[in-house]
Amino acid sequence: MEQRWVARSYERYMRPVLQRALTRQPLDGDSEFVLYRSLLGKPEGTVLDVGCGTGLLARRLAHEPDAPPVAALDVSRAMLEEGLAQVREAGVAVDFLRAEAPYLPFHDGVLGAVLMSDALPYVADLSRMMMEVHRVLRPGGRWVASTYASVGAPRALLHRGVGLHPRGEAELRREAAAAGFVRFERVSLPSLLVVKAEKGSAQTPR
């Protein structure tokens, strides 16, 4: 992912190929965005796109009328450089940051929402990831993420061998609750799981 030619071809070729390989029936781009956008609600603060790649969804969020500030985070310098070129061409404002999840370089309670489209399977330490997301969100802030459906034991071992971590609803629900999230919801599609949870206030029951 650090090669410039990879970054330049990512949105048109590599991202669709990866989605098709993992989910078999990926959503088209418009349907994918509408789903994530509906689950994000009306963020009261900056939206952070974790594992943003070249910032495709971040750009679409920033294009919206009255959009909140949008930030995008990825570990790949090449992806971020391509993302910066794309937002300049699109004439929108997205702040790009280079960092490696699960650690998020933000103060406590400052973000309105955290989006993790396709990024969750690449995170090994889910517990730490959930605690970090909960830490940086404002009360009422939402976490929205997607992952491909968990697979059988033999395939799961193979996937983990190449750095992928498929997870099911039960594990995601459990880790979200352990981190302090409330109002967990999920949308289950063929080979794809999309989840949403909120950071409650001190008075919000789990």
Side-chain angles (χ1 to χ4, degrees):
M1 294 297 184
E2 288 294 346
Q3 301 297 318
R4 289 192 175 182
W5 69 267
V6 173
R8 288 172 181 166
S9 62
Y10 179 73
E11 289 183 11
R12 179 170 293 183
Y13 301 111
M14 297 201 65
R15 186 172 188 264
V17 168
L18 287 170
Q19 287 183 324
R20 191 171 296 108
L22 295 177
T23 66
R24 295 192 293 278
Q25 293 180 321
L27 292 173
D28 64 88
D30 289 338
S31 298
E32 181 186 22
F33 179 75
V34 168
L35 176 57
Y36 293 137
R37 187 66 191 87
S38 66
L39 293 174
L40 286 170
K42 296 181 179 179
E44 296 183 0
T46 298
V47 177
L48 174 65
D49 183 2
V50 175
C52 65
T54 53
L56 173 62
L57 294 175
R59 290 198 309 276
R60 294 198 64 169
L61 285 169
H63 261 299
E64 291 197 327
D66 303 318
V70 178
L73 179 150
D74 204 280
V75 70
S76 168
R77 183 184 298 275
M79 290 288 189
L80 295 175
E81 289 175 349
E82 178 65 18
L84 184 58
Q86 293 278 0
V87 298
R88 286 173 175 167
E89 183 177 335
V92 296
V94 176
D95 291 322
F96 287 95
L97 304 92
R98 190 181 186 203
E100 186 171 8
Y103 300 102
L104 305 178
F106 292 88
H107 292 298
D108 296 355
V110 296
L111 299 180
V114 172
L115 173 64
M116 298 182 66
S117 165
D118 300 333
L120 207 52
Y122 297 93
V123 176
D125 192 340
L126 179 60
S127 179
R128 172 59 63 183
M129 184 79 256
M130 298 306 303
M131 288 190 290
E132 277 288 276
V133 173
H134 190 271
R135 178 185 66 79
V136 300
L137 281 174
R138 302 174 63 173
R142 294 185 177 185
W143 168 68
V144 175
S146 64
T147 182
Y148 64 99
S150 57
V151 296
R155 289 184 62 200
L157 288 174
L158 177 62
H159 286 212
R160 287 189 169 88
V162 295
L164 294 171
H165 304 272
R167 295 182 171 99
E169 178 186 346
E171 182 181 3
L172 294 173
R173 186 182 292 272
R174 182 176 65 250
E175 293 293 347
F181 283 96
V182 298
R183 300 192 181 97
F184 183 98
E185 298 177 9
R186 62 104 172 101
V187 177
S188 183
L189 302 169
S191 302
L192 181 67
L193 181 65
V194 183
V195 297
K196 184 272 291 183
E198 296 182 11
K199 178 175 180 176
S201 64
Q203 294 77 33
T204 304
R206 293 193 182 185

